[in-house]
Amino acid sequence: MFLRKIAATTAFMGLMGSAAYAAGCGPEGQSIRILASDFPAIHAVVGAAQANCGAAAAEFKPNHTTEARQIMNAALTPNPAEYTSVIVANSTLTQLMNDGLVRPLNDLVEKYGEHIKPNQLITIDGKVMAIAFMANSQHLFARKDVLEEAGVGTIPATYEEVLSAAEKIRAAGIMDYPVTMNMKMGWNIGEMFNMVYLGHGGDLFKPGSAEPNVNNAQGIATLNMLKALTEYANPDILTYASNETQGAWEAGEAALGIMWGSRGSPILDDEGSTKEITSNTVLAAAPAVGGGSIPSATLWWDGITISANVSDEEAEATFAALASALTPELVAAHNDDAVWLLEGFKPGPAAAGVAATARGGAKPYPMIPYIGIMHGALGAELSDFLKGSESAEQALADVEAAYVTAAKEAGFLQ
């Protein structure tokens, strides 16, 4: 639903030039090089594209890495770019667009996208810049058996209830560190702040401007909540990203987790854990906070982009291959790997948390040019507070100062 707010009617530009073509796969003999994150749904899309069109390409080289966000701009800057496509999300699309590294897809959508739905078209100023294929959000994972053992009768609906439940679990001697979250220093800390800050009703920027707006009562309340949560988390929580939180959950080391919905399927499957854990894991909406009524989360999409600095033939072959993967057959084979935006998706238990978070009114992650600068400043400046070496007020002042410096350098502020 939130995608419809940013999708628009597209004016198409006509077909590309001729070459040797494989049916549905675009020009033959091209190099297809894809940079993508490392989780099951993305593997499924890229794998289907390779199965469909890999034989028609001179090479088909995917790189699935947890470092995609950090390396994508540098990888797409040369001409020719290192990759012909990057699988992106809300924040990383703006990151690439700020540097002019991805191309409009209108003509390719007309040629290869008859099965692509309008709400998948991420359209900015009339230009289709990405094709979304899945929705995502961080939300609450809970062990109902552990909660019951600790005398907690319901799944927590607020962060305050999460803290209360965590204290009861610890006091009962069940787990010393019942909470897990993606709090790795850098991007992950920044995103946890974003979610809880928006849940408090905060706005990251002053209305109608690029001026920062986090050093305030809502910002302080957000940091205090994050600090309180870390008191119930593993002492190494500032090193935890998605792989670590999933691993901790599957090992039975946590009973309350804030994790990505895309981790739901691998956590609920019968690999890497036990039936006791998987059968008692409940995926619920992200908690509200501070008396607010909406889930403290940001809604995301993941989708396809095509590099600006590659030949038109490589661009076309790459798009055709990836578009060929976005089918009901892919969904049927991998239904529970994601909240798919494709035909045939049937929401199951692994989608319950994302669906509940979206229904509850969580806000989309902001798609504005300077959001990446703010996110980076948050990620760089908040760890000292969480380590106990700086006040919340000073940490937020440092965030705003770092943001203003970078935003001025980028031309967003005078």
Side-chain angles (χ1 to χ4, degrees), residues 117 327-329 331-332 335 340-347:
K117 298 186 291 185
T327 64
E329 290 74 23
V331 174
N335 187 84
W340 298 105
L341 301 172
L342 309 177
E343 290 293 341
F345 174 60
K346 298 176 182 177

Side-chain angles (χ1 to χ4, degrees), residues 310-334:
V310 297
S311 71
D312 289 346
E313 291 76 18
E314 286 186 344
E316 182 177 356
T318 302
F319 183 89
L322 288 167
S324 78
L326 307 182
T327 64
E329 290 74 23
L330 172 79
V331 174
H334 301 278

Side-chain angles (χ1 to χ4, degrees), residues 12 16 24-27 30-34 49 53 60 84-85 103-116 120-121 128-132 303-307 310-326:
F12 296 116
M16 298 183 70
C25 291
Q30 303 301 314
S31 172
I32 298 174
R33 309 177 301 279
I34 300 169
C53 295
F60 194 109
T84 57
S85 173
R103 64 175 65 199
L105 304 175
N106 302 57
D107 51 350
L108 296 172
V109 170
E110 183 174 7
K111 191 168 187 178
Y112 297 100
E114 64 180 15
H115 60 298
I116 294 173
Q120 293 178 248
L121 305 179
V128 179
M129 301 306 300
I131 308 299
I304 295 164
T305 64
I306 299 296
S307 306
V310 297
S311 71
D312 289 346
E313 291 76 18
E314 286 186 344
E316 182 177 356
T318 302
F319 183 89
L322 288 167
S324 78
L326 307 182

Side-chain angles (χ1 to χ4, degrees), residues 289-301:
V289 70
S293 60
I294 66 170
S296 299
T298 53
L299 297 173
W300 291 72
W301 53 263

